[in-house]
Each structure stands twice: as C-alpha cells, then as structure tokens.
Amino acid sequence: MAAVSGINGAFYIADDGGTPAEFAKVRTWSVDVNAEEVDVTGFGDTGWRTTVGGLKSWTSTVEGQCDNSTGWNVLWSNIGSEVEVRYYISEGGTIYFAGSATVITISPTTSVDSSGTFSATLSGIGALTYTTS
C-alpha cells in the first residue's frame, strides 16, 4: 500500500441503526486493537512461558472542534450508548475500520484564545472490521 496523507482521513458516526455520516469537525482519530495473552505454560515447558492469543478488544480516541454539527450532536447525546463508527484512512477511499462502540468519555475544552475542542473515548462492542476495497 502506498503512503496516504492523513489530511484525507475522516470519522463517521451514527446512532439508532442509521448509516454513519461524516463528522466534519474531527481532526484526529486513533484506534487501538488488542489481543489478550493467555498463559498455557505446563510443567513440560522446561521453565519457558508458553502463551496463546486470547480475547480481542478495541478502543478509540477522537478529537476535534465542538460545534452544532450532526456528528457532535450524535456523540454528545449518546454518552454511555452504542453508536456505529467508521474510521477512514483516506476520505472517499475504500480503506477504513468499522464497528459498533459505546461512547465512554467526552471531554470538551475551551480557551479564551482558541476554538472549543473535545476529545472522546469509545469502547468497541464486538469485532472491528477492516475494509480495503
């Protein structure tokens, strides 16, 4: 895969089973995917730990500007609830992550000399899919 500029990324969100739509004021997103490590060491492993992959999980962080956009309203009104999300690596492209998540935290911030911003944490519900076409 050729390098892709982050300037073309996007974050989409929807509630109530709707189709995710772009949240235009998002400036940064990150997704962390993890697999638990399960210890299966036995006496016959001669003092060396043996592990296998266990349950998988994912979380994400989204940051942007506070405004009255549809995306902000969906995020704000769904704290503690399930939303559908898509994380595009390149807007209009075919490479993205998608899944259902619970909105865990929203942290609005403002300063006298800048626009209001926010960060939000989402916790994945079930699988996160990765699409490349």
Side-chain angles (χ1 to χ4, degrees):
M1 176 167 92
V4 176
S5 172
I7 195 169
N8 295 317
F11 174 70
Y12 282 52
I13 187 169
D15 60 359
D16 297 328
T19 301
E22 184 176 8
F23 185 167
K25 297 297 184 176
V26 168
R27 301 175 81 160
T28 304
W29 62 256
S30 67
V31 176
D32 296 312
V33 181
N34 300 291
E36 291 178 2
E37 185 177 42
V38 178
D39 189 334
V40 294
T41 307
F43 290 123
D45 290 324
T46 63
W48 289 96
R49 185 171 308 281
T50 303
T51 61
V52 296
L55 296 173
K56 296 176 215 160
S57 63
W58 62 277
T59 59
S60 72
T61 302
V62 178
E63 298 176 348
Q65 293 177 300
C66 298
D67 70 354
N68 198 26
S69 71
T70 300
W72 170 253
N73 291 334
V74 170
L75 188 66
W76 182 254
S77 64
N78 282 285
I79 185 82
S81 299
E82 182 177 346
V83 293
E84 296 295 317
V85 291
R86 290 185 189 162
Y87 306 87
Y88 284 86
I89 292 175
S90 60
E91 170 62 29
T94 56
I95 303 171
Y96 63 92
F97 300 92
S100 296
T102 302
V103 180
I104 301 298
T105 63
I106 301 173
S107 303
T109 304
T110 193
S111 171
V112 71
D113 61 349
S114 67
S115 65
T117 61
F118 75 93
S119 64
T121 304
L122 296 96
S123 180
I125 301 170
L128 179 71
T129 61
Y130 177 63
T131 301
T132 60
S133 59

XYZ file of all heavy atoms in Angstrom, residues 13 15 23 66-81 83 103 105-109 118-120:
220
model
N -20.021 8.685 12.073
C -20.734 8.207 13.262
C -22.236 8.240 13.009
O -22.736 9.093 12.275
C -20.363 9.067 14.503
C -20.954 8.474 15.776
C -20.752 10.509 14.301
C -20.393 9.117 17.055
N -26.216 6.938 15.125
C -26.903 6.262 16.223
C -28.201 5.652 15.696
O -28.556 5.835 14.531
C -27.181 7.209 17.386
C -28.045 8.403 17.007
O -28.433 8.541 15.838
O -28.343 9.207 17.899
N -18.408 13.194 10.395
C -18.315 14.177 11.473
C -17.188 15.104 11.034
O -16.018 14.836 11.266
C -18.007 13.463 12.781
C -17.990 14.337 14.011
C -17.991 13.739 15.255
C -17.954 15.712 13.956
C -17.958 14.499 16.415
C -17.923 16.491 15.101
C -17.930 15.873 16.335
N -15.681 21.493 18.840
C -17.072 21.488 19.283
C -17.867 22.431 18.375
O -17.433 23.541 18.098
C -17.195 22.010 20.714
S -16.333 21.026 21.946
N -18.991 21.971 17.909
C -19.889 22.826 17.138
C -21.270 22.195 17.166
O -21.527 21.268 17.907
C -19.385 23.043 15.711
C -19.480 21.793 14.857
O -19.833 20.717 15.377
O -19.205 21.886 13.661
N -22.171 22.676 16.366
C -23.538 22.168 16.370
C -23.771 21.205 15.196
O -24.876 21.095 14.695
C -24.534 23.332 16.310
C -25.917 22.896 16.743
O -26.055 21.943 17.501
N -26.925 23.575 16.245
N -22.730 20.510 14.773
C -22.866 19.590 13.649
C -23.604 18.329 14.064
O -23.732 18.007 15.248
C -21.483 19.207 13.107
O -20.823 18.359 14.030
N -24.077 17.597 13.087
C -24.755 16.330 13.347
C -23.851 15.384 14.105
O -24.273 14.730 15.061
C -25.195 15.689 12.017
O -26.082 16.590 11.361
C -25.890 14.372 12.241
N -22.583 15.298 13.709
C -21.642 14.400 14.378
C -21.496 14.719 15.857
O -21.537 13.830 16.702
N -21.335 15.996 16.175
C -21.195 16.399 17.583
C -22.459 16.050 18.355
O -22.408 15.534 19.457
C -20.898 17.890 17.687
C -20.984 18.399 19.090
C -21.969 19.185 19.612
C -20.088 18.134 20.172
N -21.732 19.428 20.941
C -20.570 18.790 21.316
C -18.916 17.395 20.285
C -19.946 18.741 22.544
C -18.277 17.346 21.518
C -18.797 18.008 22.628
N -23.633 16.312 17.771
C -24.889 16.013 18.452
C -25.050 14.516 18.700
O -25.511 14.110 19.765
C -26.075 16.552 17.654
C -26.117 18.066 17.661
O -25.620 18.707 18.578
N -26.689 18.642 16.629
N -24.675 13.684 17.735
C -24.749 12.229 17.913
C -23.803 11.792 19.026
O -24.178 11.024 19.913
C -24.430 11.480 16.599
C -24.268 9.988 16.845
C -25.506 11.737 15.560
N -22.581 12.290 18.995
C -21.603 11.931 20.013
C -22.093 12.351 21.401
O -22.132 11.548 22.332
C -20.264 12.602 19.695
C -19.075 12.203 20.529
C -18.704 10.742 20.291
C -17.883 13.097 20.197
N -22.481 13.605 21.533
C -22.893 14.153 22.830
C -24.140 13.463 23.372
O -24.220 13.145 24.550
C -23.134 15.656 22.711
C -23.511 16.276 24.005
C -24.751 16.703 24.385
C -22.660 16.506 25.120
N -24.714 17.195 25.659
C -23.428 17.086 26.144
C -21.305 16.286 25.353
C -22.914 17.444 27.371
C -20.782 16.643 26.586
C -21.585 17.213 27.575
N -25.123 13.212 22.526
C -26.379 12.637 23.012
C -26.287 11.131 23.264
O -27.229 10.542 23.794
C -27.520 12.931 22.037
O -27.282 12.309 20.797
N -25.155 10.518 22.930
C -25.021 9.073 23.105
C -23.956 8.671 24.114
O -23.459 7.541 24.068
C -24.757 8.400 21.762
C -26.028 8.285 20.963
O -26.876 7.457 21.256
N -26.176 9.156 19.974
N -23.629 9.537 25.048
C -22.682 9.148 26.099
C -23.276 7.940 26.836
O -24.438 7.944 27.221
C -22.371 10.320 27.066
C -21.297 9.936 28.073
C -23.603 10.827 27.749
C -19.918 10.046 27.564
N -22.497 6.875 26.933
C -22.955 5.653 27.573
C -23.788 4.755 26.675
O -24.271 3.718 27.122
N -23.961 5.134 25.420
C -24.791 4.365 24.491
C -23.972 3.875 23.295
O -22.851 4.311 23.063
C -25.945 5.224 23.978
O -26.768 5.631 25.044
N -23.051 3.414 19.358
C -23.061 4.119 18.077
C -22.339 3.260 17.041
O -21.568 2.367 17.387
C -22.375 5.507 18.169
C -23.167 6.455 19.048
C -20.950 5.380 18.678
N -19.895 5.124 23.601
C -19.236 6.395 23.897
C -18.975 6.414 25.403
O -19.901 6.433 26.206
C -20.109 7.590 23.478
C -19.391 8.906 23.802
C -20.484 7.512 22.004
N -16.275 8.444 27.186
C -15.979 9.774 27.746
C -16.049 10.832 26.656
O -15.763 10.567 25.491
C -14.560 9.852 28.364
O -13.586 9.636 27.341
C -14.365 8.853 29.479
N -16.451 12.034 27.064
C -16.381 13.218 26.206
C -15.789 14.322 27.063
O -16.275 14.582 28.166
C -17.761 13.656 25.695
C -18.428 12.532 24.904
C -17.640 14.911 24.842
C -19.860 12.833 24.506
N -14.739 14.949 26.569
C -14.043 15.981 27.339
C -13.957 17.266 26.530
O -13.006 17.476 25.778
C -12.635 15.507 27.714
O -12.691 14.305 28.439
N -14.966 18.171 26.650
C -14.878 19.458 25.970
C -13.859 20.366 26.665
O -13.703 20.306 27.885
C -16.283 20.041 26.094
C -17.123 19.009 26.747
C -16.224 17.981 27.341
N -13.177 21.176 25.883
C -12.183 22.112 26.401
C -12.309 23.422 25.637
O -12.561 23.411 24.435
C -10.759 21.558 26.195
O -10.659 20.281 26.804
C -9.713 22.485 26.796
N -12.740 19.113 21.746
C -13.157 17.998 22.563
C -12.283 16.794 22.266
O -11.641 16.708 21.221
C -14.622 17.617 22.290
C -14.788 16.885 20.997
C -14.759 15.494 20.952
C -14.939 17.577 19.806
C -14.878 14.812 19.762
C -15.061 16.900 18.604
C -15.037 15.514 18.581
N -12.271 15.876 23.194
C -11.752 14.538 22.935
C -12.807 13.569 23.452
O -13.554 13.890 24.370
C -10.398 14.305 23.606
O -10.519 14.358 25.001
N -12.896 12.410 22.820
C -13.865 11.396 23.219
C -13.210 10.032 23.127
O -12.357 9.798 22.268
C -15.099 11.448 22.327
